[in-house]
């Protein structure tokens, strides 16, 4: 699932903390600005361009693996990758690569029938796989060792699914009540856009209306734009609606409409050429951060002035599928991408071996992969976030995370478990107390950058409160809070998440590779990590419900925020062999 997480404004009509501050004005394109010069913790992009004035650059293709990109956006249409070997709209595979009319990229979530928008979470797909075999099994039922592991997994999945389903029902019911009563208040007042003054004058008809007014007043004190409040309310209500009807619905499965043999992980040719798809908000926003036209005086400035955006549609509204992700990586590599941005992730992976194979293929072809760390405020040294750089991580521990790690350790008592039985098969469980060292002793992709999200203030709030982190799993931090970027229909909007931080780094990687094309993907990764802006003060994080202050080096490998100016200086030195 893409990592744009809806900001839920209330819980059961309880307003946000009264101490919440009024929305702060931000400098345009703050993520490209410089801390010393501009007072915000951007990545010094504008300053970096002073280092390469007059220097020759080459175009670099950046593949955006996402939910779709609006290739006609005013700030993107000049920077889109175009397959020069393909003739648009003639329904012929002109370049003989197997993908008909792939002019701007490819859509692995479609067919001649159209394009898929919604899909399940991976947990639902896994329950469907196991339920026929284990739904009626009891704890006392005789099972083999392998079956006992599957049965334990099935029970865990069902419990987690029920919890998610209950939360979605609760959220949908409460937000429906909020919206219904707010609509009623608007009608009584006689205005569609309410103000604080309107609410102060209004006399509530009952206790529910009093709670609704309290919630709305709290939000309008921080941001008086009532339209923005109602927009967010409608998006949140839609979020819960989609969870109930698609993400968590065991009866919903859209895969038949694509027409592939889903069990065949080696199948490459399926989909259609619709790279925009039915919901291109997230992917368009990501693309703009990387490469929005820096010369047209419209909208925003992307990080990289020579990047060309290839759109590969692979992320539905729901969890992406491993087969599609693997094929998207291979498509991007085979069609010339040198950087691949992946602003998505999930807690379970059914066939990570397929993704691992594609990641290794990208490594062999000198392609850098940039991945968002996730928005759950979790330590990914212990919590699963797929895909990731660790080869075989899932085939040994794909369905197990911190919530049952202690139980697993106690059950196994350090005994190793047998391997996965080929392809789509049974998961292994981590070996006991040495589970962490075992995890990190596995081979890792050298061409992978994992990105957490940072904010604009050089203080204890620098790390975004939603960002995942990890001393051994997150490489760098980059701006990911209130990032203004492109939206479909030549519009612009602020979004936030590690989804926004990853394309900042993808843009930086493209910037380096365009001005120093002789550098390899691994060298570019090394340059980005060695050139970070270090942070002296401790930053706040919340781990397992406990708030604490830590050094950035305690929650990331590099211990810093990426910096374009430092990176280009270092790239110059490395390219000269210094």
């Amino acid at each position: 699932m893409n990592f744009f997480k809806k900001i839920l404004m209330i819980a059961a009509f309880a307003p946000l903390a009264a101490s919440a501050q009024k929305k702060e004005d931000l400098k345009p394109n703050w993520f490209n600005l410089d801390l010393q010069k501009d007072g915000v913790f951007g990545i010094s992009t504008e300053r970096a361009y002073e280092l390469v004035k007059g220097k020759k650059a080459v175009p670099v293709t950046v593949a955006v693996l996402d939910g779709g990109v609006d290739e006609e956006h005013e700030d993107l249409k000049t920077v889109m990758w175009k397959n020069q070997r393909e003739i648009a709209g003639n329904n012929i595979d002109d370049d003989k690569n197997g993908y008909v009319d792939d002019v701007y990229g490819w859509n692995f979530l479609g067919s001649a029938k159209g394009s898929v928008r919604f899909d399940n979470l991976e947990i639902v797909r896994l329950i469907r796989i196991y339920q026929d075999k284990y739904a009626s099994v009891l704890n006392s039922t005789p099972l083999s060792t392998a079956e006992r592991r599957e049965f334990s997994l099935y029970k865990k999945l069902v419990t987690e699914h029920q919890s998610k389903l209950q939360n979605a029902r609760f959220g949908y019911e409460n937000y429906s009540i909020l919206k219904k009563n707010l609509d009623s208040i608007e009608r009584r007042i006689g205005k569609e856009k309410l103000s604080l003054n309107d609410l102060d004058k209004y006399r509530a008809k009952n206790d529910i209306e009093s709670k609704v007014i309290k919630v709305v007043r709290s939000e309008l004190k921080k941001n008086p734009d009532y339209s923005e409040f109602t927009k967010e309310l409608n998006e949140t209500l839609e979020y819960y609606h989609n969870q109930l009807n698609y993400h968590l619905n065991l009866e919903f499965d859209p895969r038949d409409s694509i027409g592939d043999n889903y069990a065949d992980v080696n199948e490459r040719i399926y989909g259609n050429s619709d790279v925009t798809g039915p919901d291109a908000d997230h992917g368009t926003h990501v693309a703009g951060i990387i490469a929005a036209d820096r010369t047209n005086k419209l909208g925003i400035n992307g990080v990289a002035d020579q990047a060309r955006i290839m759109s590969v549609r692979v992320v539905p509204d729901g969890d992406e599928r491993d087969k599609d992700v693997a094929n998207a990586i291979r498509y991007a590599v085979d069609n010339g991408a040198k950087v691949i941005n992946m602003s998505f992730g999930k807690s379970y992976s059914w066939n990570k071996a397929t993704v691992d194979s594609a990641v290794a293929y990208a490594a062999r072809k000198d392609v850098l992969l940039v991945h968002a760390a996730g928005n759950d405020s979790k330590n990914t040294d212990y919590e699963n976030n797929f895909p990731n750089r660790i080869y075989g991580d899932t085939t040994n521990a794909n369905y197990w995370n911190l919530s049952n790690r202690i139980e697993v350790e106690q059950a196994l008592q350090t005994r190793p478990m047998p391997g996965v039985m080929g392809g789509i098969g049974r998961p292994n469980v981590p070996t006991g107390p040495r589970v962490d060292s075992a995890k990190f002793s596995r081979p890792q992709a050298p061409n992978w950058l994992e990105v957490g999200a940072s904010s604009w203030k050089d203080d204890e709030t620098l790390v975004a409160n939603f960002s995942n982190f990890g001393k051994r799993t997150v490489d760098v931090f980059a701006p990911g809070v209130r990032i203004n970027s492109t939206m479909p229909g030549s519009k612009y909007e602020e979004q936030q998440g590690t989804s926004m931080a990853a394309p900042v780094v993808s843009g930086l990687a493209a910037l380096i590779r365009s001005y120093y094309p002789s550098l390899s993907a691994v060298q570019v990764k090394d340059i980005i990590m060695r050139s970070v802006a270090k942070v002296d003060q401790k930053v706040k994080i919340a781990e397992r419900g406990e708030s604490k202050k830590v050094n950035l080096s305690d929650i990331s490998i590099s211990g810093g925020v990426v910096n374009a100016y430092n990176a280009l200086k270092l790239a110059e030195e490395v390219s000269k062999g210094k």
Side-chain angles (χ1 to χ4, degrees), residues 52-101:
V52 291
K53 280 183 179 179
K55 190 177 182 64
K56 185 179 179 181
V58 299
V60 171
T61 300
V62 180
V64 174
L65 275 54
D66 216 292
V69 175
D70 177 10
E71 72 271 19
E72 295 299 325
H73 193 288
E74 64 178 12
D75 229 358
L76 293 175
K77 59 186 178 181
T78 61
V79 300
M80 294 298 297
W81 170 82
K82 191 169 184 180
N83 185 352
Q84 299 297 334
R85 300 168 296 169
E86 197 75 23
I87 300 172
N90 68 354
N91 203 33
I92 297 173
D93 182 16
D94 300 290
D95 60 0
K96 304 294 190 295
N97 70 348
Y99 302 97
V100 176
D101 289 341

Short mmCIF file of all heavy atoms in Angstrom, two decimals, residues 52-101:
data_model
loop_
_atom_site.label_atom_id
_atom_site.label_comp_id
_atom_site.label_asym_id
_atom_site.label_seq_id
_atom_site.Cartn_x
_atom_site.Cartn_y
_atom_site.Cartn_z
N VAL A 52 27.33 23.12 -10.12
CA VAL A 52 27.40 22.46 -11.43
C VAL A 52 27.00 23.40 -12.56
O VAL A 52 26.68 22.96 -13.67
CB VAL A 52 26.49 21.19 -11.44
CG1 VAL A 52 27.08 20.12 -10.56
CG2 VAL A 52 25.07 21.53 -11.03
N LYS A 53 27.03 24.71 -12.29
CA LYS A 53 26.74 25.67 -13.35
C LYS A 53 27.72 25.48 -14.50
O LYS A 53 28.94 25.44 -14.31
CB LYS A 53 26.83 27.10 -12.82
CG LYS A 53 25.60 27.57 -12.07
CD LYS A 53 25.73 29.02 -11.65
CE LYS A 53 24.48 29.50 -10.90
NZ LYS A 53 24.63 30.91 -10.46
N GLY A 54 27.18 25.35 -15.72
CA GLY A 54 28.02 25.19 -16.89
C GLY A 54 28.52 23.77 -17.12
O GLY A 54 29.18 23.50 -18.13
N LYS A 55 28.21 22.89 -16.19
CA LYS A 55 28.66 21.50 -16.31
C LYS A 55 27.66 20.72 -17.16
O LYS A 55 26.45 20.85 -16.99
CB LYS A 55 28.79 20.87 -14.93
CG LYS A 55 29.48 19.51 -14.93
CD LYS A 55 29.64 19.01 -13.50
CE LYS A 55 30.37 17.68 -13.44
NZ LYS A 55 31.77 17.76 -13.91
N LYS A 56 28.16 19.88 -18.05
CA LYS A 56 27.30 19.09 -18.92
C LYS A 56 26.61 18.00 -18.11
O LYS A 56 27.20 17.37 -17.25
CB LYS A 56 28.12 18.47 -20.05
CG LYS A 56 27.28 17.71 -21.08
CD LYS A 56 28.15 17.14 -22.18
CE LYS A 56 27.31 16.37 -23.19
NZ LYS A 56 28.15 15.78 -24.28
N ALA A 57 25.33 17.79 -18.43
CA ALA A 57 24.56 16.75 -17.75
C ALA A 57 23.85 15.88 -18.77
O ALA A 57 23.62 16.30 -19.91
CB ALA A 57 23.54 17.38 -16.80
N VAL A 58 23.51 14.67 -18.36
CA VAL A 58 22.78 13.75 -19.24
C VAL A 58 21.44 13.41 -18.59
O VAL A 58 21.34 13.38 -17.36
CB VAL A 58 23.58 12.46 -19.49
CG1 VAL A 58 24.89 12.77 -20.18
CG2 VAL A 58 23.82 11.70 -18.19
N PRO A 59 20.41 13.17 -19.38
CA PRO A 59 19.12 12.77 -18.80
C PRO A 59 19.23 11.43 -18.08
O PRO A 59 19.96 10.53 -18.52
CB PRO A 59 18.20 12.67 -20.03
CG PRO A 59 18.87 13.47 -21.08
CD PRO A 59 20.35 13.33 -20.84
N VAL A 60 18.53 11.31 -16.98
CA VAL A 60 18.50 10.08 -16.19
C VAL A 60 17.05 9.66 -16.00
O VAL A 60 16.23 10.44 -15.52
CB VAL A 60 19.18 10.27 -14.82
CG1 VAL A 60 18.95 9.05 -13.93
CG2 VAL A 60 20.66 10.53 -14.99
N THR A 61 16.73 8.43 -16.37
CA THR A 61 15.37 7.94 -16.24
C THR A 61 15.13 7.43 -14.82
O THR A 61 15.89 6.61 -14.30
CB THR A 61 15.09 6.79 -17.23
OG1 THR A 61 15.29 7.29 -18.56
CG2 THR A 61 13.67 6.29 -17.10
N VAL A 62 14.08 7.96 -14.20
CA VAL A 62 13.67 7.53 -12.86
C VAL A 62 12.31 6.87 -12.98
O VAL A 62 11.33 7.51 -13.39
CB VAL A 62 13.60 8.72 -11.89
CG1 VAL A 62 13.18 8.23 -10.50
CG2 VAL A 62 14.92 9.46 -11.82
N ALA A 63 12.23 5.61 -12.63
CA ALA A 63 10.95 4.90 -12.66
C ALA A 63 10.20 5.13 -11.36
O ALA A 63 10.75 4.94 -10.28
CB ALA A 63 11.18 3.41 -12.88
N VAL A 64 8.96 5.56 -11.47
CA VAL A 64 8.10 5.75 -10.31
C VAL A 64 7.14 4.56 -10.26
O VAL A 64 6.17 4.50 -11.02
CB VAL A 64 7.33 7.08 -10.40
CG1 VAL A 64 6.32 7.20 -9.25
CG2 VAL A 64 8.31 8.26 -10.36
N LEU A 65 7.43 3.60 -9.39
CA LEU A 65 6.57 2.45 -9.19
C LEU A 65 5.51 2.85 -8.17
O LEU A 65 5.80 3.00 -6.99
CB LEU A 65 7.36 1.24 -8.68
CG LEU A 65 8.05 0.37 -9.73
CD1 LEU A 65 8.95 1.17 -10.65
CD2 LEU A 65 8.81 -0.77 -9.07
N ASP A 66 4.28 3.06 -8.64
CA ASP A 66 3.28 3.69 -7.78
C ASP A 66 1.89 3.38 -8.30
O ASP A 66 1.70 2.41 -9.04
CB ASP A 66 3.53 5.20 -7.71
CG ASP A 66 3.23 5.77 -6.34
OD1 ASP A 66 2.04 5.79 -5.97
OD2 ASP A 66 4.17 6.21 -5.64
N GLY A 67 0.94 4.26 -7.96
CA GLY A 67 -0.45 4.06 -8.37
C GLY A 67 -0.80 4.74 -9.67
O GLY A 67 -1.96 4.68 -10.10
N GLY A 68 0.18 5.39 -10.31
CA GLY A 68 -0.06 6.07 -11.58
C GLY A 68 0.42 7.50 -11.54
O GLY A 68 0.53 8.11 -10.47
N VAL A 69 0.76 8.04 -12.71
CA VAL A 69 1.25 9.41 -12.83
C VAL A 69 0.46 10.11 -13.94
O VAL A 69 0.27 9.56 -15.03
CB VAL A 69 2.75 9.45 -13.17
CG1 VAL A 69 3.21 10.88 -13.41
CG2 VAL A 69 3.57 8.81 -12.06
N ASP A 70 0.00 11.33 -13.67
CA ASP A 70 -0.68 12.15 -14.68
C ASP A 70 0.38 12.73 -15.61
O ASP A 70 0.98 13.76 -15.32
CB ASP A 70 -1.49 13.25 -14.01
CG ASP A 70 -2.17 14.18 -15.00
OD1 ASP A 70 -2.17 13.86 -16.22
OD2 ASP A 70 -2.70 15.23 -14.58
N GLU A 71 0.56 12.09 -16.75
CA GLU A 71 1.63 12.50 -17.68
C GLU A 71 1.33 13.82 -18.38
O GLU A 71 2.21 14.41 -19.00
CB GLU A 71 1.91 11.40 -18.71
CG GLU A 71 0.84 11.22 -19.76
CD GLU A 71 -0.24 10.23 -19.37
OE1 GLU A 71 -0.37 9.95 -18.16
OE2 GLU A 71 -0.96 9.74 -20.26
N GLU A 72 0.09 14.33 -18.25
CA GLU A 72 -0.27 15.60 -18.89
C GLU A 72 -0.21 16.78 -17.92
O GLU A 72 -0.58 17.90 -18.29
CB GLU A 72 -1.68 15.49 -19.48
CG GLU A 72 -1.80 14.49 -20.63
CD GLU A 72 -0.91 14.86 -21.81
OE1 GLU A 72 -0.76 16.07 -22.08
OE2 GLU A 72 -0.36 13.95 -22.44
N HIS A 73 0.23 16.56 -16.70
CA HIS A 73 0.32 17.66 -15.73
C HIS A 73 1.24 18.75 -16.27
O HIS A 73 2.29 18.48 -16.86
CB HIS A 73 0.86 17.14 -14.39
CG HIS A 73 0.72 18.10 -13.26
ND1 HIS A 73 1.48 19.24 -13.14
CD2 HIS A 73 -0.11 18.09 -12.18
CE1 HIS A 73 1.14 19.88 -12.03
NE2 HIS A 73 0.18 19.21 -11.43
N GLU A 74 0.87 20.00 -16.03
CA GLU A 74 1.63 21.13 -16.57
C GLU A 74 3.08 21.14 -16.11
O GLU A 74 3.96 21.66 -16.81
CB GLU A 74 0.96 22.45 -16.15
CG GLU A 74 0.96 22.70 -14.64
CD GLU A 74 0.34 24.03 -14.23
OE1 GLU A 74 -0.30 24.67 -15.10
OE2 GLU A 74 0.48 24.41 -13.04
N ASP A 75 3.35 20.58 -14.94
CA ASP A 75 4.69 20.59 -14.37
C ASP A 75 5.45 19.29 -14.61
O ASP A 75 6.59 19.14 -14.17
CB ASP A 75 4.62 20.86 -12.86
CG ASP A 75 5.57 21.97 -12.41
OD1 ASP A 75 6.30 22.49 -13.27
OD2 ASP A 75 5.58 22.30 -11.21
N LEU A 76 4.79 18.34 -15.31
CA LEU A 76 5.42 17.04 -15.54
C LEU A 76 5.52 16.65 -17.01
O LEU A 76 6.37 15.82 -17.38
CB LEU A 76 4.63 15.93 -14.80
CG LEU A 76 4.65 15.96 -13.27
CD1 LEU A 76 3.72 14.88 -12.71
CD2 LEU A 76 6.06 15.77 -12.73
N LYS A 77 4.67 17.21 -17.85
CA LYS A 77 4.60 16.74 -19.24
C LYS A 77 5.91 16.90 -20.00
O LYS A 77 6.20 16.15 -20.93
CB LYS A 77 3.46 17.43 -19.98
CG LYS A 77 3.54 18.94 -20.07
CD LYS A 77 2.28 19.50 -20.72
CE LYS A 77 2.30 21.01 -20.78
NZ LYS A 77 1.03 21.54 -21.39
N THR A 78 6.74 17.87 -19.58
CA THR A 78 8.03 18.05 -20.27
C THR A 78 9.13 17.16 -19.72
O THR A 78 10.22 17.09 -20.30
CB THR A 78 8.49 19.52 -20.15
OG1 THR A 78 8.66 19.85 -18.77
CG2 THR A 78 7.48 20.46 -20.80
N VAL A 79 8.86 16.48 -18.59
CA VAL A 79 9.91 15.66 -17.98
C VAL A 79 9.55 14.18 -17.98
O VAL A 79 10.23 13.37 -17.34
CB VAL A 79 10.20 16.13 -16.53
CG1 VAL A 79 10.67 17.57 -16.52
CG2 VAL A 79 8.99 15.94 -15.62
N MET A 80 8.49 13.81 -18.69
CA MET A 80 8.12 12.40 -18.75
C MET A 80 9.05 11.64 -19.68
O MET A 80 9.43 12.12 -20.75
CB MET A 80 6.67 12.25 -19.24
CG MET A 80 5.61 12.80 -18.31
SD MET A 80 5.57 11.99 -16.68
CE MET A 80 5.12 10.31 -17.11
N TRP A 81 9.44 10.44 -19.27
CA TRP A 81 10.17 9.53 -20.14
C TRP A 81 9.25 9.12 -21.28
O TRP A 81 8.05 8.90 -21.08
CB TRP A 81 10.59 8.31 -19.34
CG TRP A 81 11.15 7.18 -20.17
CD1 TRP A 81 12.41 7.05 -20.64
CD2 TRP A 81 10.45 5.99 -20.60
NE1 TRP A 81 12.55 5.87 -21.35
CE2 TRP A 81 11.36 5.20 -21.34
CE3 TRP A 81 9.14 5.53 -20.44
CZ2 TRP A 81 11.02 3.97 -21.90
CZ3 TRP A 81 8.78 4.31 -21.01
CH2 TRP A 81 9.72 3.55 -21.73
N LYS A 82 9.80 9.03 -22.45
CA LYS A 82 9.01 8.58 -23.59
C LYS A 82 9.77 7.50 -24.34
O LYS A 82 10.94 7.68 -24.69
CB LYS A 82 8.68 9.74 -24.52
CG LYS A 82 7.65 9.37 -25.58
CD LYS A 82 7.14 10.59 -26.31
CE LYS A 82 6.04 10.22 -27.31
NZ LYS A 82 5.52 11.40 -28.04
N ASN A 83 9.11 6.40 -24.58
CA ASN A 83 9.69 5.29 -25.31
C ASN A 83 9.71 5.64 -26.79
O ASN A 83 8.69 5.56 -27.48
CB ASN A 83 8.86 4.02 -25.07
CG ASN A 83 9.48 2.79 -25.70
OD1 ASN A 83 10.45 2.87 -26.44
ND2 ASN A 83 8.89 1.63 -25.40
N GLN A 84 10.86 6.04 -27.27
CA GLN A 84 10.98 6.52 -28.64
C GLN A 84 10.80 5.40 -29.67
O GLN A 84 10.58 5.66 -30.85
CB GLN A 84 12.36 7.18 -28.85
CG GLN A 84 12.61 8.38 -27.97
CD GLN A 84 11.64 9.53 -28.24
OE1 GLN A 84 11.11 9.67 -29.35
NE2 GLN A 84 11.42 10.36 -27.23
N ARG A 85 10.87 4.17 -29.22
CA ARG A 85 10.74 3.04 -30.15
C ARG A 85 9.28 2.60 -30.31
O ARG A 85 8.99 1.69 -31.07
CB ARG A 85 11.58 1.86 -29.66
CG ARG A 85 13.07 2.17 -29.54
CD ARG A 85 13.78 1.05 -28.78
NE ARG A 85 13.30 0.97 -27.41
CZ ARG A 85 13.57 -0.02 -26.57
NH1 ARG A 85 14.32 -1.04 -26.98
NH2 ARG A 85 13.09 -0.02 -25.34
N GLU A 86 8.38 3.26 -29.58
CA GLU A 86 6.97 2.86 -29.60
C GLU A 86 6.11 3.97 -30.22
O GLU A 86 6.32 5.15 -29.93
CB GLU A 86 6.49 2.58 -28.17
CG GLU A 86 5.21 1.78 -28.09
CD GLU A 86 5.39 0.31 -28.41
OE1 GLU A 86 6.52 -0.20 -28.28
OE2 GLU A 86 4.39 -0.34 -28.79
N ILE A 87 5.17 3.59 -31.05
CA ILE A 87 4.24 4.54 -31.66
C ILE A 87 2.94 4.49 -30.86
O ILE A 87 2.30 3.44 -30.74
CB ILE A 87 3.97 4.19 -33.13
CG1 ILE A 87 5.27 4.24 -33.93
CG2 ILE A 87 2.94 5.14 -33.73
CD1 ILE A 87 5.13 3.73 -35.35
N ALA A 88 2.56 5.63 -30.30
CA ALA A 88 1.40 5.68 -29.41
C ALA A 88 0.11 5.35 -30.15
O ALA A 88 -0.15 5.83 -31.25
CB ALA A 88 1.30 7.06 -28.78
N GLY A 89 -0.71 4.51 -29.52
CA GLY A 89 -2.07 4.29 -29.98
C GLY A 89 -2.27 3.40 -31.18
O GLY A 89 -3.41 3.26 -31.64
N ASN A 90 -1.23 2.78 -31.70
CA ASN A 90 -1.43 1.95 -32.90
C ASN A 90 -1.70 0.49 -32.56
O ASN A 90 -1.85 -0.35 -33.46
CB ASN A 90 -0.22 2.05 -33.84
CG ASN A 90 1.04 1.43 -33.26
OD1 ASN A 90 1.07 0.99 -32.11
ND2 ASN A 90 2.10 1.39 -34.06
N ASN A 91 -1.74 0.18 -31.26
CA ASN A 91 -2.05 -1.17 -30.78
C ASN A 91 -1.07 -2.21 -31.32
O ASN A 91 -1.42 -3.37 -31.54
CB ASN A 91 -3.48 -1.56 -31.16
CG ASN A 91 -4.03 -2.65 -30.24
OD1 ASN A 91 -3.69 -2.72 -29.06
ND2 ASN A 91 -4.87 -3.52 -30.80
N ILE A 92 0.18 -1.79 -31.53
CA ILE A 92 1.23 -2.67 -32.02
C ILE A 92 2.42 -2.57 -31.07
O ILE A 92 2.78 -1.49 -30.61
CB ILE A 92 1.67 -2.29 -33.45
CG1 ILE A 92 0.50 -2.46 -34.42
CG2 ILE A 92 2.86 -3.13 -33.91
CD1 ILE A 92 0.80 -1.94 -35.82
N ASP A 93 3.05 -3.69 -30.80
CA ASP A 93 4.26 -3.70 -29.98
C ASP A 93 5.45 -3.36 -30.87
O ASP A 93 6.21 -4.23 -31.30
CB ASP A 93 4.44 -5.08 -29.34
CG ASP A 93 5.65 -5.15 -28.42
OD1 ASP A 93 6.18 -4.08 -28.05
OD2 ASP A 93 6.08 -6.28 -28.10
N ASP A 94 5.63 -2.08 -31.15
CA ASP A 94 6.62 -1.64 -32.14
C ASP A 94 8.04 -2.02 -31.76
O ASP A 94 8.85 -2.37 -32.63
CB ASP A 94 6.53 -0.11 -32.31
CG ASP A 94 5.17 0.32 -32.81
OD1 ASP A 94 4.84 0.05 -33.97
OD2 ASP A 94 4.44 0.95 -32.01
N ASP A 95 8.37 -1.95 -30.47
CA ASP A 95 9.75 -2.23 -30.06
C ASP A 95 9.97 -3.69 -29.68
O ASP A 95 11.07 -4.07 -29.26
CB ASP A 95 10.17 -1.32 -28.91
CG ASP A 95 9.31 -1.49 -27.67
OD1 ASP A 95 8.38 -2.32 -27.70
OD2 ASP A 95 9.56 -0.80 -26.67
N LYS A 96 8.90 -4.50 -29.81
CA LYS A 96 9.00 -5.95 -29.58
C LYS A 96 9.46 -6.31 -28.17
O LYS A 96 10.12 -7.33 -27.97
CB LYS A 96 9.95 -6.59 -30.61
CG LYS A 96 9.59 -6.33 -32.06
CD LYS A 96 8.27 -6.98 -32.46
CE LYS A 96 8.02 -6.93 -33.96
NZ LYS A 96 7.85 -5.58 -34.48
N ASN A 97 9.09 -5.48 -27.19
CA ASN A 97 9.47 -5.81 -25.81
C ASN A 97 8.36 -6.55 -25.07
O ASN A 97 8.48 -6.85 -23.87
CB ASN A 97 9.88 -4.55 -25.04
CG ASN A 97 8.70 -3.62 -24.75
OD1 ASN A 97 7.62 -3.79 -25.30
ND2 ASN A 97 8.93 -2.61 -23.92
N GLY A 98 7.27 -6.82 -25.76
CA GLY A 98 6.15 -7.55 -25.17
C GLY A 98 5.05 -6.68 -24.61
O GLY A 98 3.99 -7.18 -24.24
N TYR A 99 5.27 -5.35 -24.57
CA TYR A 99 4.31 -4.44 -23.98
C TYR A 99 3.80 -3.47 -25.05
O TYR A 99 4.54 -2.61 -25.54
CB TYR A 99 4.95 -3.68 -22.82
CG TYR A 99 5.47 -4.61 -21.74
CD1 TYR A 99 6.81 -4.98 -21.71
CD2 TYR A 99 4.61 -5.13 -20.79
CE1 TYR A 99 7.29 -5.86 -20.74
CE2 TYR A 99 5.09 -6.01 -19.81
CZ TYR A 99 6.42 -6.36 -19.80
OH TYR A 99 6.89 -7.23 -18.84
N VAL A 100 2.54 -3.60 -25.40
CA VAL A 100 1.95 -2.85 -26.51
C VAL A 100 1.67 -1.41 -26.10
O VAL A 100 1.01 -1.15 -25.09
CB VAL A 100 0.65 -3.53 -26.98
CG1 VAL A 100 -0.02 -2.71 -28.07
CG2 VAL A 100 0.94 -4.94 -27.48
N ASP A 101 2.18 -0.46 -26.90
CA ASP A 101 1.94 0.97 -26.70
C ASP A 101 2.46 1.48 -25.35
O ASP A 101 1.87 2.38 -24.74
CB ASP A 101 0.44 1.30 -26.82
CG ASP A 101 -0.07 1.20 -28.25
OD1 ASP A 101 0.76 1.23 -29.17
OD2 ASP A 101 -1.30 1.10 -28.45
#
